Amino acid sequence: MTTDPARRVEVYPGKEAVVDFDPALTFECVEECTWCCQHGVLLYEKDLLELASRASLSEATTQFRGQDFVRQEEKTRDDHVDEDGQACYFLRDDGLCALHAEHDWKPTRCSVFPLQVTVEDGEIHAGIRDEAHEHCEGLDVSERRVVDHLDAFLPELLWDLDDPETKRAL
Ligand code: SF4
Ligand code: SF4
């Protein structure tokens, strides 16, 4: 299969992604939504190191099938939880991410949403996660085209990972 050259974007010098969504798509996170923070987030090794300087790993993380995740916990706000009554350890009552609000940082996988990364023929593809079409309130509500800001969604470390695909969640 050949790829339309217009859909291959250089996100960092020498690091390209194939865009699998409509280039006209815009995104701006809607603060009160919190849907994508109602799950446990996979942490890459570099994320773990970064997180260790900002939080207690023993309190904030858990392991599942040999991989590290931010753990979930029960929350008091019903509109901020999934069907199990839980959400990400770092989701505050005001709907903000404690890591982002207090440390100006968040794990790689949190930056990627509402995109997902897949690999085809050795190339990184950026698409929209299926669940995002149904749950993410930030799609097509602003003027900010995703394709113009791919570096904000796709941290550079993704190109260094053996498996940068982003489908797994806790
Ligand atoms: S770490 Fe922050 S941005 Fe990521 S899921 Fe948790 S609350 Fe949301
Ligand atoms: S689901 Fe979309 S709009 Fe909602 S908090 Fe996540 S990124 Fe923001």
Side-chain angles (χ1 to χ4, degrees):
M1 190 178 80
T2 56
T3 306
D4 175 356
R7 299 183 67 190
R8 186 175 277 111
V9 176
E10 186 175 58
V11 186
Y12 302 96
K15 294 175 177 169
E16 296 181 334
V18 178
V19 172
D20 284 346
F21 56 86
D22 182 349
L25 180 86
T26 69
F27 170 77
E28 200 69 58
C29 186
V30 175
E31 231 171 63
E32 277 302 299
C33 170
T34 78
W35 184 82
C36 65
C37 299
Q38 297 170 11
H39 313 276
V41 174
L42 178 69
L43 294 161
Y44 300 115
E45 194 177 340
K46 193 171 169 209
D47 289 323
L48 264 184
L49 294 174
E50 296 271 355
L51 187 57
S53 67
R54 296 168 170 91
S56 161
L57 293 186
S58 61
E59 286 179 22
T61 69
T62 187
Q63 280 215 326
F64 180 67
R65 294 183 178 159
Q67 293 182 300
D68 295 292
F69 291 81
V70 176
R71 72 176 183 82
Q72 293 173 282
E73 65 176 15
E74 290 192 4
K75 301 286 184 185
T76 49
R77 278 190 60 162
D78 291 346
D79 55 339
H80 284 176
V81 296
D82 67 8
E83 53 276 7
D84 298 332
Q86 301 204 331
C88 174
Y89 175 84
F90 291 110
L91 182 63
R92 303 193 316 198
D93 276 354
D94 62 3
L96 297 179
C97 166
L99 290 172
H100 198 206
E102 297 161 28
H103 300 276
D104 196 24
W105 177 84
K106 56 186 171 182
T108 301
R109 294 288 285 268
C110 306
S111 300
V112 172
F113 196 86
L115 303 188
Q116 68 175 11
V117 169
T118 54
V119 177
E120 287 175 39
D121 299 330
E123 288 196 292
I124 283 187
H125 283 240
I128 303 298
R129 253 177 79 157
D130 287 345
E131 304 94 315
H133 288 295
E134 192 181 342
H135 298 286
C136 178
E137 297 176 16
L139 299 175
D140 280 330
V141 294
S142 73
E143 302 290 310
R144 185 170 172 253
R145 289 200 329 160
V146 175
V147 76
D148 295 331
H149 301 277
L150 276 180
D151 58 336
F153 296 90
L154 304 177
E156 194 167 8
L157 76 83
L158 288 168
W159 278 262
D160 300 327
L161 297 173
D162 292 335
D163 178 11
E165 297 215 346
T166 54
K167 282 185 180 150
R168 282 156 299 146
L170 190 62

